[in-house]
Amino acid sequence: MMAAPVKLAVGDRAPSFDLPTSGGGRLSLADLAGAPAVLWFYPAANTSLCTRQAVDLRDHHQMFTDAGYRVVGISPDPVAELDRFVAEQQLPYTLAGDESHEVMSAYGAWGEKNMYGKIVEGVIRSTFAIDADGVLTFVKYRVGTPKHIALLQEKLGL
């Protein structure tokens, strides 16, 4: 039996990270300091639900930037797959790859989940908002893709 995953809550400090990104760069929590950010963890680039979520965020990206937010998607994909996802879906925000699952584990976005009646280990679709000081202002595990944007609009006052 696996240990229960970490569960973060509003008011917790965002766990530190440093990950490779689409386009060949790197992104760390320190890079996000000074402005709010939305981190969304998703299972795999170019799969149907993840693409829908990515495109919804793309189509509403201006709403986030107008409010000062940076949007960052994190998945276990290698950078080459992230680059393809960005290009094919014309994503205007940063995607980062967490192939080791260390960052996902720190955020509680990696662990056991029920896939079609079978318990598997994988990405738990999750979204976090972080304020300019690195404190979590919104935490949602097991995000429902169709309601993702509406949920963020409501909870972040966008």
Side-chain angles (χ1 to χ4, degrees):
M1 191 72 186
M2 282 180 39
V6 171
K7 288 289 186 214
L8 298 174
V10 169
D12 288 349
R13 291 209 68 71
S16 187
F17 64 86
D18 181 3
L19 293 171
T21 62
S22 51
R26 293 195 73 81
L27 182 71
S28 69
L29 183 63
D31 295 330
L32 298 174
V38 171
L39 301 184
W40 62 286
F41 292 88
Y42 63 98
N46 294 304
T47 56
S48 62
L49 277 178
C50 297
T51 298
R52 178 168 174 191
Q53 196 174 13
V55 167
D56 280 351
L57 284 161
R58 176 197 70 200
D59 293 348
H60 292 87
H61 189 247
Q62 193 63 49
M63 174 182 74
F64 292 100
T65 58
D66 286 351
Y69 281 88
R70 244 179 109 176
V71 176
V72 179
I74 300 175
S75 74
D77 294 305
V79 169
E81 189 62 23
L82 299 177
D83 286 340
R84 190 169 77 94
F85 197 29
V86 167
E88 287 179 7
Q89 303 303 329
Q90 298 163 355
L91 303 178
Y93 47 81
T94 302
L95 296 183
D98 182 18
E99 291 185 77
S100 70
H101 315 138
E102 284 177 32
V103 174
M104 291 181 183
S105 294
Y107 278 81
W110 180 267
E112 285 187 356
K113 61 183 187 175
N114 190 327
M115 290 272 299
Y116 311 108
K118 188 174 156 196
I119 301 298
V120 297
E121 189 177 37
V123 179
I124 298 163
R125 193 181 301 275
S126 307
T127 301
F128 303 86
I130 304 170
D131 72 10
D133 299 317
V135 175
L136 297 173
T137 58
F138 174 74
V139 173
K140 175 69 176 155
Y141 292 101
R142 304 192 192 296
V143 170
T145 301
K147 296 186 168 89
H148 192 216
I149 296 296
L151 179 71
L152 289 170
Q153 284 175 307
E154 177 195 339
K155 298 299 184 184
L156 302 180
L158 303 174

